[in-house]
Amino acid sequence: MSRNDALRAARLRVGWRSAEAAANALQAHGQRLLDDRQFTVSARTWRRWEGPRPGWPSEDTAIVLHDALGRWPEDLGFTTPPGWIRPEQHEETTAQTSQLLGGVFWIKSGESNAWSGRG
């Protein structure tokens, strides 16, 4: 494969006709979603992502890509790095663990360094 056709198709599906338009739209979307004016995506980065070896986006960027395009990076042609777990799977695991423990979890009390159970 000479380019990342999955990401290119997703870009065109949402109406982003160029790498520049995609980078600008994703940056604006990410800044709103994350409430972070420092979140940036350059056209150069987007072009690299559409290339044959797109690397892997940061976790924040992965979340923004998913929110904007409706697909996770591994479904958009990125190569999944070792240890990557989708944020939605983190939430499922936490919910399952909470159910297994009967909804009880432990928090550390700030002042006394004591641990107390909450349910």
Side-chain angles (χ1 to χ4, degrees), residues 9-78:
R11 169 176 61 82
L12 294 172
R13 195 175 309 115
V14 296
W16 300 340
R17 299 291 175 215
S18 68
E20 291 78 11
N24 289 337
L26 192 68
Q27 178 173 308
H29 186 79
Q31 288 177 351
R32 284 189 307 273
L33 180 69
L34 302 173
D35 192 25
D36 179 3
R37 303 302 285 159
Q38 301 300 313
F39 180 83
T40 61
V41 177
S42 69
R44 179 180 180 189
T45 295
W46 191 278
R47 282 191 294 274
R48 183 174 44 81
W49 288 348
E50 284 193 15
R53 295 183 359 196
W56 186 257
S58 69
E59 187 168 347
D60 280 348
T61 303
I63 290 167
V64 173
L65 281 164
H66 177 262
D67 194 72
L69 301 175
R71 298 173 70 193
W72 289 105
E74 63 267 32
D75 302 325
L76 293 168
F78 292 88

Side-chain angles (χ1 to χ4, degrees), residues 4 7 10-11 21 25 43 45-47 58 71-73 77 92-93 95 97 100 105-106 111:
N4 185 346
L7 182 62
R11 169 176 61 82
T45 295
W46 191 278
R47 282 191 294 274
S58 69
R71 298 173 70 193
W72 289 105
E92 290 171 10
T93 302
T97 302
L100 287 173
F105 61 95
W106 294 88
E111 289 297 316

Side-chain angles (χ1 to χ4, degrees), residues 10 70 83 91 112:
E91 292 168 11
S112 65

Side-chain angles (χ1 to χ4, degrees), residues 79-97:
T79 303
T80 308
W84 164 253
I85 300 174
R86 292 179 179 184
E88 65 186 9
Q89 291 173 330
H90 285 286
E91 292 168 11
E92 290 171 10
T93 302
T94 302
Q96 290 167 354
T97 302

